[in-house]
Amino acid sequence: MTASHPPRPAATRAPPWAMLALPLAGLVAAPLLAVLVAAAVPAGAVWRHIASTTLAEMLANRPCWRCWSGC
């Protein structure tokens, strides 16, 4: 005995605005990807400079900013 399947609905086209979803997602993701790539590239001189000048102060201020922001 074979089961009868309901007929498939006719294929519908995506609305025109949906065609913009992927390019817009790419535009949103591009800056985030750029930051991740920049963070992955070793930049020893930059980190040495930050560590010798302002890193200690930034790390000391972090708990204060967390309290003030409510995080």
Side-chain angles (χ1 to χ4, degrees):
M1 183 172 211
T2 60
S4 62
H5 297 288
R8 286 185 163 193
T12 58
R13 291 186 65 190
W17 59 265
M19 301 301 259
L20 293 175
L22 193 57
L24 287 176
L27 286 174
V28 170
L32 299 173
L33 291 174
V35 168
L36 291 175
V37 168
V41 174
V46 172
W47 284 111
R48 279 192 295 276
H49 172 72
I50 290 173
S52 67
T53 56
T54 60
L55 184 61
E57 183 180 354
M58 287 189 285
L59 291 175
N61 287 337
R62 185 169 182 207
C64 296
W65 284 110
R66 289 184 61 99
C67 289
W68 292 332
S69 67
C71 294

